[in-house]
Amino acid sequence: MKNPFQQKARELVAQMTLEEKAALCSGKNFWESKAIERLGVRSFMLTDGPHGLRKQAGESDHLGLNVSVPATCFPPAAATACSFDPELMERMGQALGDECRAEKVGVILGPAANIKRSPLCGRNFEYFSEDPLLTGEIAAGLIKGIQRRNVGACMKHYLANNQERARVSSSSVVDERALREIYLAGFEIAVKKAQPWTLMCSYNMINGVYASDNKRLMTDVPRGEWGFEGAIMTDWGAMNDRVEAIKAGLDLEMPGPCDGNDALIVQAVREGRLDEVQVDACAARVTELALRAAENSVIAYDRDEHHELARQIARESAVLLRKGSALPLKKGTKLAVIGDFAKHPRYQGAGSSNINPTRITSLCDALDERKIEYTYAQGFAAEGKVDEALADEAVSVAREADVAVVMLGLPDSFESEGFDRPHMNLPENQTLLISALIETGTPLAVVLSTGAAVLLPWREQVDSILLMYLGGQNSGSAVLDLLLGEVSPCGHLAETWPLALEDTPCHGFFGNKGNVEYRESIYVGYRYYDKAGKEVAYPFGHGLSYTEFAYSDLQLSAGEIGENDSLTVSMTVTNTGGMAGKEVVQLYVAPPADGIFRPVRELRAFTKVSLEPGESKTVSMTLNRRAFAYYDVDSGDWRADSGVYAIQIGASSRDIRLTQSVTVHGAQPNTAINVKVPAYCSPSAVWPVPREQFEAVLGHPVPAERPLRPFTVSSTLGEVQACFVGRMFMKIVRKNVEKQFSGGNAEGMEEFTKIIDAMLEDMPIRQLAMMSGGALTPGVMAGLVDMMNGHYIRGLRKMKG
């Protein structure tokens, strides 16, 4: 279909001066693009997402500190991925689009599609899954919904940005198979299915090249291979070299103003170092965005309807980890409700996605509204230390109850944008409390509010565990609906919950500065645990229900297929229990065991089916060539080898109910690399992977670390404190940051102190320059670096110039 916006954008760019085109390639301010008024190209607004609108009406920041306009806080991605329901995500996306239209927002910054490489990542609550297929399908649903309202989605953070520590200065060292099969695949699926208006490049380097400068990742792969038609922008302050980024196809630098970099673009063209055609292409893509956004009129939305939708999404996403006799609650149950989160819910994460909710409904609010009797005890303070008086009160309340609902989870100070968790434990005050409550003998129904997997050493000693992740602003109503059995839990885990941090596949190679070696390669999440035969607390895809489901009658459309043929898989699901429910049917493909090293099985399709008691439905899923393929580095393409593949239908990666085989006639298996990398062939025997084996799949030695000296514009504020000028500069920066945020959200300042400190420590000088609003010009920055390297006179001259 012909794109009228694209053609019009090119016509407008043809009428612009070089200076105007360069100006369009950076923002006007923190949240707006520039306009070319003489040609009718309007400015458009971008705001943070991704599970709600964070539009700041006053002072702007990218940390969630300063107050934003009220908006619906839907459940974050850690929860919604567990719905396994792209259609539900489309409804959420439409609601987000309506709220953007109401606030004159043209592009919302989300969804975030980074793979959950480690449960320690502080921003995992914003990410969907450890699995790229699930990530891509859920992201595509959300994007479709947002853009159905003619608001642009911005899929982020592209690429291999899987930790918070040193995210702006580290280099993700990843082999090509892992990039293609794990880290690019989710973006690829969403781009092909939903065509987001924009992608956002990440801060980090990928194999030594900053994302913003990486032509292969900015242009060749998304535009050349996937057919991506939109614009690519930086994360806020993620620009490395503006001229190289134009060559790479990076269109929009945010935030603005970036007059110094605009001038560098013009200068490079004038000096013949940059082809003006490349500037035209970037300016045209930004102009096309502006034209699309200009079509919108302001609309109103119903806050109550969106609050109710948040409740439904939280219900559909909740995962019943453990099922006993306490749930659903029986009528007349003498109920105790314990935990700070019952009155003050943890419903979203901290950082740039922090939403100012239109309202908040806690579990206690929901109980009170429905006039359900219960006895409450705080038990612990979410951000406090061990309090024996609070714990003793909770124990007394639990002893008098038939069932105690215990609300546990992670506080904001444990997980946030800006830093990673050092461990997977719950706070000590909660751990001691649950141990004391277990001793009472009262059945405990634990409700967990957390943005990522945590360790639950007591999990077999409680009656039930209901995982909400972070349930959004109406999580209290959703929890009550589930506790009462008005709906049955139907979410399934989008990530594996391990038994110990040491069991995670990237343990020892996560959270590093400098080179971050992805030694686990393709073995992320269940791909590793299943291959290594590791026992886990809860496997990928796990989720229980108040009813039961039976699987039967697995049928394949063919017993043999060619490598380019599709295969239709059908089977029957029956609700054999006593109440209505929904089941997530998961289709895994297991490759031949004698081929190139691969996971035991991989999720290749899924569907969610709703069934009344006794009802049966036949579901069908279609597999194409990619379902049987791996990425062949030698040929630079996907390859399906000949052999017998198992089609496995399961309720989790460890609960396979039905299996049939299909023979694929494809390429001759090439197993030459296996002999060089025995750890990847048998992770249970050798793990972590030795360096020489990692370099064998990487195809080259691990790059040398960047030396501390001489200092450059890419040196971090933490690194430059090794010199006197750097220490003095850091003091000035800290003072200015404190001044900037002192008038912000005082209630949230303490929790954000850790974010600010962590981000400043790992922030390159060049990023600080871009975030300074033009105050730290390229000349001042160059002079400052010279002075840090001991060239004081030369540095002062540059700064004066």
Side-chain angles (χ1 to χ4, degrees):
M1 184 181 293
K2 193 172 181 179
N3 182 349
F5 296 108
Q6 188 179 76
Q7 182 60 36
K8 179 65 174 175
R10 289 172 179 169
E11 292 171 359
L12 289 168
V13 168
Q15 302 173 56
M16 294 179 190
T17 66
L18 174 58
E19 288 75 10
E20 287 173 328
K21 290 183 286 191
L24 273 181
C25 294
S26 67
K28 178 174 74 174
N29 53 36
F30 214 88
W31 295 118
E32 293 178 290
S33 70
K34 289 178 184 148
I36 305 294
E37 293 182 3
R38 72 179 184 86
L39 295 175
V41 179
R42 301 179 192 171
S43 171
F44 59 91
M45 176 169 279
L46 311 93
T47 65
D48 274 321
H51 52 270
L53 184 68
R54 194 179 76 87
K55 177 186 175 183
Q56 293 179 304
E59 291 294 319
S60 298
D61 74 89
H62 198 49
L63 299 176
L65 285 171
N66 292 324
V67 177
S68 57
V69 300
T72 308
C73 180
F74 292 100
T80 57
C82 297
S83 73
F84 277 71
D85 193 339
E87 291 182 3
L88 181 64
M89 290 302 94
E90 199 166 333
R91 290 179 58 200
M92 176 174 155
Q94 291 180 47
L96 288 171
D98 287 342
E99 297 197 21
C100 286
R101 292 277 296 272
E103 292 291 342
K104 302 180 182 179
V105 170
V107 176
I108 185 170
L109 305 181
N114 300 81
I115 290 295
K116 294 184 177 183
R117 180 176 177 241
S118 167
L120 296 182
C121 177
R123 210 170 178 179
N124 270 357
F125 59 83
E126 252 185 272
Y127 304 149
F128 293 114
S129 178
E130 65 189 31
D131 183 79
L133 174 71
L134 181 58
T135 292
E137 295 287 352
I138 296 294
L142 193 64
I143 292 165
K144 287 178 183 178
I146 293 168
Q147 296 186 171
R148 186 157 286 143
R149 296 298 194 250
N150 200 49
V151 172
C154 179
M155 198 174 182
K156 60 183 186 180
H157 308 85
Y158 180 72
L159 182 72
N161 172 203
N162 307 103
Q163 65 182 48
E164 289 299 287
R165 188 184 189 207
R167 64 177 179 171
V168 294
S169 57
S170 61
S171 178
S172 299
V173 183
V174 197
D175 70 276
E176 187 67 10
R177 265 193 77 185
L179 274 178
R180 293 287 185 162
E181 296 181 23
I182 306 296
Y183 298 100
L184 282 165
F187 285 93
E188 178 185 3
I189 291 166
V191 164
K192 289 180 175 179
K193 288 201 165 192
Q195 277 292 341
W197 287 11
T198 64
L199 294 176
M200 178 192 287
C201 88
S202 56
Y203 291 111
N204 55 292
M205 292 179 275
I206 300 95
N207 293 322
V209 180
Y210 278 103
S212 62
D213 299 351
N214 198 318
K215 179 178 178 294
R216 176 170 170 264
L217 293 179
M218 296 300 108
T219 293
D220 299 347
V221 171
R223 292 172 173 136
E225 297 181 24
W226 304 343
F228 175 61
E229 298 174 356
I232 303 180
M233 70 178 76
T234 63
D235 202 339
W236 266 230
M239 182 61 71
N240 179 49
D241 182 314
R242 191 61 188 105
V243 174
E244 289 303 310
I246 290 286
K247 294 177 183 178
L250 193 288
D251 305 301
L252 178 62
E253 177 183 2
M254 291 299 291
C258 305
D259 298 339
N261 274 350
D262 295 349
L264 290 177
I265 295 172
V266 174
Q267 182 182 356
V269 173
R270 301 278 191 231
E271 295 175 354
R273 294 182 290 108
L274 178 63
D275 192 332
E276 190 170 353
V277 171
Q278 294 174 303
V279 182
D280 292 347
C282 292
R285 288 189 284 261
V286 177
T287 300
E288 183 181 340
L289 271 180
L291 295 176
R292 287 179 181 275
E295 294 283 300
N296 288 342
S297 58
V298 177
I299 63 172
Y301 71 94
D302 189 318
R303 288 187 175 185
D304 290 338
E305 284 186 6
H306 286 196
H307 189 63
E308 185 59 30
L309 178 59
R311 173 186 190 171
Q312 181 181 345
I313 294 169
R315 283 195 316 234
E316 294 279 322
S317 305
V319 182
L320 186 61
L321 295 178
R322 178 175 170 83
K323 180 170 67 172
S325 59
L327 297 182
L329 295 172
K330 299 172 181 61
K331 194 170 183 178
T333 297
K334 189 176 182 182
L335 181 64
V337 175
I338 296 169
D340 201 357
F341 294 134
K343 283 196 173 182
H344 308 101
R346 173 101 195 285
Y347 59 93
Q348 66 172 328
S352 62
S353 67
N354 192 264
I355 310 302
N356 179 17
T358 56
R359 56 197 273 206
I360 302 171
T361 302
S362 69
L363 174 58
C364 288
D365 291 334
L367 287 163
D368 293 341
E369 184 178 335
R370 297 175 65 167
K371 296 181 172 54
I372 296 174
E373 292 186 4
Y374 65 98
T375 304
Y376 172 74
Q378 183 179 351
F380 62 90
E383 296 287 0
K385 298 180 180 179
V386 173
D387 188 321
E388 292 184 5
L390 289 178
D392 289 344
E393 179 194 16
V395 167
S396 297
V397 167
R399 281 201 180 103
E400 299 300 317
D402 297 329
V403 174
V405 172
V406 188
M407 302 282 287
L408 303 178
L410 295 180
D412 281 338
S413 61
F414 270 54
E415 54 179 354
S416 169
E417 178 179 358
F419 60 88
D420 299 312
R421 287 190 291 163
H423 57 74
M424 292 179 62
N425 302 323
L426 288 172
E428 184 184 11
N429 56 3
Q430 296 184 42
T431 301
L432 293 175
L433 173 65
I434 193 67
S435 296
L437 292 173
I438 289 169
E439 292 296 320
T440 67
T442 300
L444 305 180
V446 176
V447 180
L448 287 174
S449 299
T450 172
V454 295
L455 300 182
L456 305 174
W458 39 261
R459 66 190 182 282
E460 302 295 336
Q461 298 172 271
V462 299
D463 183 89
S464 307
I465 304 175
L466 178 64
L467 173 64
M468 298 303 295
Y469 275 103
L470 303 178
Q473 68 177 48
N474 203 359
S475 58
S477 299
V479 169
L480 184 56
D481 294 341
L482 293 161
L483 293 178
L484 296 176
E486 294 180 350
V487 290
S488 178
C490 59
H492 286 246
L493 287 178
E495 62 180 323
T496 307
W497 280 45
L499 284 172
L501 176 60
E502 293 75 18
D503 291 343
T504 57
C506 62
H507 182 65
F509 297 93
F510 173 85
N512 312 72
K513 293 187 176 184
N515 286 334
V516 181
E517 298 178 22
Y518 285 47
R519 287 209 187 180
E520 70 282 2
S521 183
I522 60 173
Y523 294 118
V524 177
Y526 72 91
R527 287 169 167 80
Y528 167 72
Y529 296 113
D530 290 356
K531 182 81 170 184
K534 282 275 186 188
E535 187 181 351
V536 299
Y538 301 106
F540 174 85
H542 171 75
L544 304 175
S545 172
Y546 293 153
T547 189
E548 300 292 336
F549 299 97
Y551 294 25
S552 62
D553 197 25
L554 175 60
Q555 301 286 335
L556 308 184
S557 60
E560 297 185 24
I561 58 173
E563 65 174 316
N564 294 314
D565 295 338
S566 61
L567 179 72
T568 300
V569 179
S570 64
M571 47 84 64
T572 300
V573 190
T574 302
N575 183 344
T576 59
M579 69 178 292
K582 296 181 180 180
E583 175 69 330
V584 174
V585 180
Q586 301 159 44
L587 191 163
Y588 296 87
V589 174
D594 57 355
I596 191 171
F597 71 87
R598 297 180 71 174
V600 171
R601 63 183 62 87
E602 296 179 271
L603 184 71
R604 295 309 197 199
F606 61 86
T607 188
K608 196 168 190 175
V609 57
S610 178
L611 296 165
E612 294 296 320
E615 184 181 12
S616 296
K617 286 182 180 177
T618 298
V619 298
S620 296
M621 293 169 273
T622 300
L623 302 177
N624 58 23
R625 176 174 179 263
R626 280 282 290 273
F628 302 94
Y630 65 93
Y631 190 80
D632 180 44
V633 178
D634 292 337
S635 65
D637 199 2
W638 295 91
R639 174 185 177 124
D641 285 346
S642 292
V644 178
Y645 292 75
I647 306 301
Q648 301 178 334
I649 305 297
S652 81
S653 74
R654 295 280 179 96
D655 184 9
I656 303 302
R657 308 281 184 88
L658 302 171
T659 300
Q660 276 203 29
S661 297
V662 61
T663 299
V664 175
H665 298 287
Q668 185 67 27
N670 180 4
T671 61
I673 195 171
N674 285 5
V675 69
K676 301 177 183 178
V677 291
Y680 291 111
C681 299
S682 183
S684 60
V686 180
W687 204 265
V689 175
R691 185 185 182 106
E692 64 274 12
Q693 294 187 40
F694 175 54
E695 291 180 336
V697 300
L698 193 62
H700 54 78
V702 173
E705 297 281 1
R706 176 173 58 84
L708 178 64
R709 293 175 186 265
F711 298 119
T712 70
V713 293
S714 291
S715 296
T716 67
L717 295 181
E719 290 170 340
V720 300
Q721 289 182 78
C723 71
F724 175 77
V725 175
R727 289 192 293 274
M728 294 302 101
F729 181 61
M730 183 62 156
K731 285 183 179 180
I732 295 170
V733 171
R734 283 186 183 279
K735 186 175 180 180
N736 285 334
V737 169
E738 289 172 5
K739 181 179 178 181
Q740 178 182 356
F741 295 121
S742 61
N745 179 9
E747 184 181 349
M749 275 302 296
E750 185 175 346
E751 68 191 47
F752 284 106
T753 300
K754 288 173 70 175
I755 302 177
I756 294 170
D757 287 345
M759 292 182 74
L760 286 180
E761 185 74 16
D762 294 325
M763 182 179 288
I765 297 170
R766 60 175 171 76
Q767 187 189 28
L768 186 66
M770 294 166 202
M771 303 289 280
S772 70
L776 194 58
T777 64
V780 171
M781 183 168 56
L784 189 62
V785 170
D786 271 346
M787 292 178 70
M788 290 175 180
N789 285 318
H791 307 300
Y792 300 107
I793 295 176
R794 186 172 73 190
L796 285 170
R797 285 173 180 167
K798 285 183 179 180
M799 293 175 75
K800 288 179 180 179

